[in-house]
Amino acid sequence: MEDVAIIGVGIHPFGRFGNKSAIQMGAEAVRSALADAGLEWKQVQFAFGGSCEVDNPDAVVGLLGLTGIPFMDVYNGCATAATALELTADAIRYGKYDIGLAVGMDKHAFGAFTADPVHYSAPPWYGDIGHFLTTKFFGMKINRYMHDHGISHRTLARVAAKNYRNGVLNPNAFRRKALTEDEILTSQMLNFPLTKYMFCSPDEGAAAIILCRADIARQYTSNPIYLRASTLRTRTYGAHEVHSSWAAVEHAEAPTVFASKAAYETAGIGPEDVDVIQVQDTDSGAEIMHMAENGFCADGDQEKLLAEGATEIGGRLPVNTDGGLIANGEPVGASGLRQIHELVLQLRGQAGDRQVPGNPRVGYAQLYGAPGTAGVSIVTT
Amino acid sequence: MAQIPFAPDVFTWPAEKPQLIGSRCRSCAAVTFPAQDSCPRCGKLEMEQRLLPREGTLWTWTTQEFLPKEPYASGETPETFKPFAVGLVQLGDDVRVEGRLTISKADEIRFGMGLELVIYPFRTDEDGTQVMSYAFAPSEGGN
């Protein structure tokens, strides 16, 4: 099995861009990744494209050049980008190709996501009576977690304040204004205990990653970043998951726990080795729970860790250094590749004002999405 | 006034003591709500209908303080929308069911409180027909 390296990263800023299409944003992200790798489009041998809204992300070739390569489209909820990355990496690991592209793009309408619940294996009436809302699930999950593990409302606000603060330092972020903890706590309650400024928003953007066989990476870059693990898992019986009208009484861990364990095992790396962390912060409660689900702390320790600033850029466990979903918003297909883009900049020492000090060498990214899918990636210098 | 359930086969109605209709696996005893044909635990096609316990306790909850987008079909507008609470209610040892609570103020809701199933008018159609849904109301018991 071949090792895999990242030799180019590109991003189209996240936010709102008027009539600009998702495909145009995707093409810009790819061109920026090609420039970063010093490659021409015709050197890319294959690609995986991820999107929620775009039927054919492969249409991006119409703007990049019709080279005839295999270009496969994926959608896997909020884990779409992790899926595109995993499949691209696997094709290289198995020796099928040398150089490939993972690209994600999306352009969402304003407000919370909606769809036909039946497509999530929920009952047809589930939306009619007002239950088909991801935000409601996140409110229920963190409310119980706070009850069980002594997490305060102030800590929810600390997470969001930190991510907005990091977003100010990120020129590609959607929300680039710092908010105080009190502004966050007193903003409109949407789903108790989560207020308006504790949630991310669907938005627009694209990101692209170019991968190659590790043994040829130095032909293209002097600082390759190695993808040590990329894993995906779905929910097991007993997990309390989004878009379900019921849950079992018996308890199982969330899918992230299984994806995380598998990634650590594959990489031969433990949570104690990780220098910079990206987790799915759909809301500030999700960031808190995902810290524990990914092995970075015990349940309940977040209260103290956040109070002492451990998850700040200069802290012991820097989390969502680019502002995460809370500051960047979520174009679903691009979100996980945005995480990898940030980790690569951090490990190369190119993250500018938000650079984690001390030459970080190991980066970790996690996605969680409907209807119970998690993706984890581990990268190293 | 005519009253109809919002969907068939979700709860017994009319009934003096209505119950939710779930299913139970004859092979591994897993219980689901609503009823489904296949078992989410063992994958076998041996599910039988099961009426769920009417009484339960609140396992977790949240509030819904903005008007949900379609397919929400309450007939409410942004002006008439009334925030509500949603809970995951543990019914006996069978299953935890998601449902609206009849109370909506965060300071009235507590983990482990006793709840019982009620059927209530969710929406009134133009011809006066009341479309009935299920919810959980505070009851004795709980912990």
Side-chain angles (χ1 to χ4, degrees):
Chain A
M1 187 105 49
E2 303 288 345
D3 287 335
V4 176
I6 296 169
I7 53 172
V9 296
I11 197 161
H12 179 285
F14 283 22
R16 292 285 172 196
F17 303 96
N19 291 329
K20 193 173 195 177
S21 74
I23 293 288
Q24 286 175 305
M25 293 184 236
E28 283 187 32
V30 174
R31 286 186 190 282
S32 119
L34 288 168
D36 186 43
L39 283 177
E40 292 181 59
W41 171 241
K42 65 183 182 191
Q43 292 173 273
V44 173
Q45 297 167 350
F46 74 105
F48 279 91
S51 186
C52 173
E53 306 278 354
V54 176
D55 287 342
N56 293 91
D58 61 286
V60 76
V61 299
L63 303 180
L64 293 168
L66 301 171
T67 56
I69 59 167
F71 196 128
M72 294 148 280
D73 301 325
V74 297
Y75 173 66
N76 209 0
C78 297
T80 293
T83 307
L85 185 71
E86 155 96 338
L87 291 167
T88 308
D90 276 350
I92 296 170
R93 287 177 184 130
Y94 298 147
K96 193 168 181 185
Y97 305 102
D98 298 330
I99 300 177
L101 166 77
V103 56
M105 65 202 80
D106 258 312
K107 186 179 180 77
H108 301 299
F110 285 88
F113 292 114
T114 189
D116 184 339
V118 171
H119 297 160
Y120 291 82
S121 84
W125 44 263
Y126 190 65
D128 298 0
I129 62 169
H131 289 192
F132 188 64
L133 289 134
T134 53
T135 61
K136 174 221 68 188
F137 166 75
F138 291 117
M140 291 210 296
K141 188 174 175 190
I142 187 61
N143 204 19
R144 179 72 200 195
Y145 192 85
M146 291 166 74
H147 171 75
D148 287 349
H149 301 292
I151 304 294
S152 65
H153 292 239
R154 173 67 57 180
T155 294
L156 291 178
R158 282 196 172 113
V159 170
K162 184 258 301 171
N163 289 355
Y164 289 119
R165 224 167 24 242
N166 292 353
V168 173
L169 305 175
N170 177 5
N172 296 313
F174 180 27
R175 304 205 182 279
R176 302 197 59 211
K177 180 171 176 277
L179 291 171
T180 66
E181 290 168 15
D182 286 332
E183 284 172 320
I184 293 161
L185 277 170
T186 58
S187 66
Q188 184 193 355
M189 184 64 75
L190 296 186
N191 299 92
F192 184 92
L194 299 170
T195 65
K196 176 179 167 182
Y197 291 130
M198 294 176 186
F199 278 108
C200 82
S201 311
D203 64 351
E204 307 172 9
I209 306 287
I210 296 175
L211 303 168
C212 76
R213 258 176 41 211
D215 62 346
I216 63 169
R218 288 193 180 271
Q219 294 175 27
Y220 305 100
T221 180
S222 58
N223 51 7
I225 301 300
Y226 300 96
L227 182 66
R228 301 292 184 188
S230 54
T231 56
L232 288 160
R233 291 290 186 275
T234 55
R235 63 199 188 280
T236 52
Y237 181 79
H240 173 210
E241 297 297 320
V242 65
H243 295 331
S244 180
S245 53
W246 63 280
V249 173
E250 70 184 60
H251 172 75
E253 299 286 4
T256 292
V257 173
F258 297 100
S260 176
K261 283 180 178 158
Y264 286 129
E265 191 175 319
T266 303
I269 280 171
E272 65 284 357
D273 303 316
V274 174
D275 300 313
V276 53
I277 301 162
Q278 295 269 37
V279 296
Q280 177 94 12
D281 56 323
T282 312
D283 62 280
S284 47
E287 179 168 316
I288 289 168
M289 293 183 287
H290 289 153
M291 285 171 62
E293 289 182 8
N294 290 291
F296 296 113
C297 65
D299 289 318
D301 284 358
Q302 299 95 330
E303 185 71 10
K304 182 167 175 290
L305 289 169
L306 267 293
E308 64 192 28
T311 61
E312 302 286 336
I313 286 171
R316 182 160 62 81
L317 293 167
V319 178
N320 291 332
T321 49
D322 65 349
L325 284 93
I326 286 177
N328 284 280
E330 187 179 27
V332 164
S335 192
L337 295 176
R338 186 238 337 134
Q339 293 181 325
I340 302 296
H341 176 271
E342 173 68 4
L343 292 177
V344 167
L345 294 190
Q346 290 285 351
L347 299 197
R348 289 177 180 169
Q350 296 174 344
D353 292 341
R354 57 181 196 284
Q355 179 65 47
V356 166
N359 300 318
R361 301 191 60 217
V362 180
Y364 184 99
Q366 172 253 354
L367 293 172
Y368 169 79
T373 304
V376 167
S377 307
I378 297 176
V379 291
T380 69
T381 52
Chain B
M1 187 183 302
Q3 293 184 327
I4 59 167
F6 70 79
D9 306 326
V10 177
F11 47 83
T12 56
W13 180 261
E16 190 183 337
K17 291 195 177 295
Q19 285 176 274
L20 295 176
I21 303 168
S23 56
R24 181 178 182 277
C25 179
R26 280 192 288 263
S27 179
C28 80
V31 177
T32 73
F33 171 74
Q36 62 182 63
D37 294 334
S38 57
C39 177
R41 181 156 63 188
C42 72
K44 291 184 179 167
L45 294 164
E46 296 179 16
M47 302 299 279
E48 60 188 3
Q49 183 177 303
R50 181 176 178 88
L51 296 182
L52 303 181
R54 296 190 63 253
E55 306 252 345
T57 55
L58 186 60
W59 191 78
T60 191
W61 60 278
T62 187
T63 56
Q64 179 59 41
E65 310 218 11
F66 61 94
L67 178 67
K69 283 183 181 177
E70 287 182 357
Y72 188 51
S74 69
E76 288 168 292
T77 65
E79 291 72 36
T80 64
F81 174 69
K82 288 196 181 65
F84 57 90
V86 181
L88 195 56
V89 181
Q90 180 159 335
L91 300 177
D93 292 328
D94 274 13
V95 66
R96 291 173 182 154
V97 166
E98 204 176 84
R100 196 181 279 221
L101 307 184
T102 59
I103 50 174
S104 58
K105 299 269 187 296
D107 57 8
E108 298 172 359
I109 305 169
R110 59 185 172 79
F111 291 91
M113 70 191 295
L115 294 163
E116 70 177 327
L117 188 79
V118 295
I119 304 301
Y120 75 103
F122 169 67
R123 178 182 81 226
T124 304
D125 284 342
E126 280 178 12
D127 65 0
T129 302
Q130 286 188 327
V131 177
M132 309 301 283
S133 182
Y134 67 94
F136 294 96
S139 70
E140 298 300 311
N143 51 51

